[in-house]
Every structure is written in C-alpha cells, then in structure tokens.
C-alpha cells in the first residue's frame, strides 16, 4: 500500500522559515511528479510547487523566490523549503504524488501557521 508521510509543519513568525518533508512508501516503480498543495480555511486547495521526473519545477506565483522544492529520488522524498513566510502562507499543506498511469496519492496534511 502506497503512503505519503509528511513532516515539518508548525508555528513560525512572519519572515521565518520552515522545511516540509514528504516520504513515499510502498511499492512504487516510477514517480512522475511529487509536489505540495495547500488549503486555507474557506479556500480551494491550490498548487504550491511541483517537481517532475525530469527535475523541472512549477511554482505558484505567490511563492516564487521564497519557496524551493527539491526531490531525493533514492529516498522517494520531496522537500519544500519555505523562507520569508507570510501570514497568507498559513494553511494545511498536502503532499501529492503522481505515478503511472495518472494515479495520484495524497498525504494526510500538515499544518503551517505563520503569525504576524
């Protein structure tokens, strides 16, 4: 059974940093992409960042220049380094993985709270 386990969320002051990690376990032959979404209260879930199998990345405009996504293929782990955090970054962050063929998995979510 494939699982995504997230860690690294918490409470931080505005301007601070956090690093999220997401490790995939189970029988996974190939990963097309791994990434992070977030959902704030009353808002839709939105893409934060994604890294593809060719190492190309996609970022939401709101986090460009502040967040960095990286991936360790051997560990089947994706990281999200979040710097210069703002109150509007507060949300539940979900790890997301796509494997062939277009099968998706979600983590349980980790809370990030940025105090102003």
């Amino acid at each position: 059974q494939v699982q995504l386990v997230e860690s690294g969320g918490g409470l931080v002051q505005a301007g601070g940093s956090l690093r999220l990690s997401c490790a995939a376990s189970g029988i996974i032959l190939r990963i097309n992409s791994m990434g992070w979404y977030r959902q704030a209260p009353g808002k839709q879930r939105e893409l934060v960042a994604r890294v593809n199998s060719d190492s190309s990345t996609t970022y939401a405009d709101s986090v460009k220049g502040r967040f960095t996504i990286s991936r360790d293929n051997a560990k089947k782990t994706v990281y999200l380094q979040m710097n210069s955090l703002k109150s509007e970054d507060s949300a539940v962050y979900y790890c997301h993985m796509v494997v062939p063929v277009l099968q998706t998995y979600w983590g349980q979510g980790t809370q990030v709270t940025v105090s102003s």
Side-chain angles (χ1 to χ4, degrees), residues 47-104:
L47 174 68
V48 177
R50 178 176 61 233
V51 56
N52 299 311
S53 57
D54 62 358
S55 299
S56 61
T57 56
T58 301
Y59 291 94
D61 288 342
S62 59
V63 307
K64 284 180 180 177
R66 300 189 297 121
F67 291 11
T68 302
I69 191 169
S70 60
R71 176 172 157 178
D72 185 328
N73 292 326
K75 295 182 178 180
K76 297 178 183 174
T77 299
V78 65
Y79 306 95
L80 186 67
Q81 178 66 43
M82 305 186 293
N83 298 328
S84 302
L85 282 161
K86 305 175 182 179
S87 57
E88 51 263 45
D89 294 318
S90 296
V92 178
Y93 283 69
Y94 296 92
C95 182
H96 179 252
M97 181 174 71
V98 179
V99 301
V101 176
L102 297 180
Q103 192 168 0
T104 64

Side-chain angles (χ1 to χ4, degrees), residues 10-65:
L11 174 65
V12 65
Q13 287 189 333
S17 298
L18 282 174
R19 188 191 194 210
L20 304 183
S21 300
C22 172
S25 63
I27 300 175
I28 304 168
L29 300 180
R30 174 182 167 82
I31 299 174
N32 289 349
S33 69
M34 294 187 78
W36 295 91
Y37 285 71
R38 67 186 180 187
Q39 188 168 20
K43 294 188 177 182
Q44 288 188 333
R45 191 173 296 191
E46 62 176 359
L47 174 68
V48 177
R50 178 176 61 233
V51 56
N52 299 311
S53 57
D54 62 358
S55 299
S56 61
T57 56
T58 301
Y59 291 94
D61 288 342
S62 59
V63 307
K64 284 180 180 177

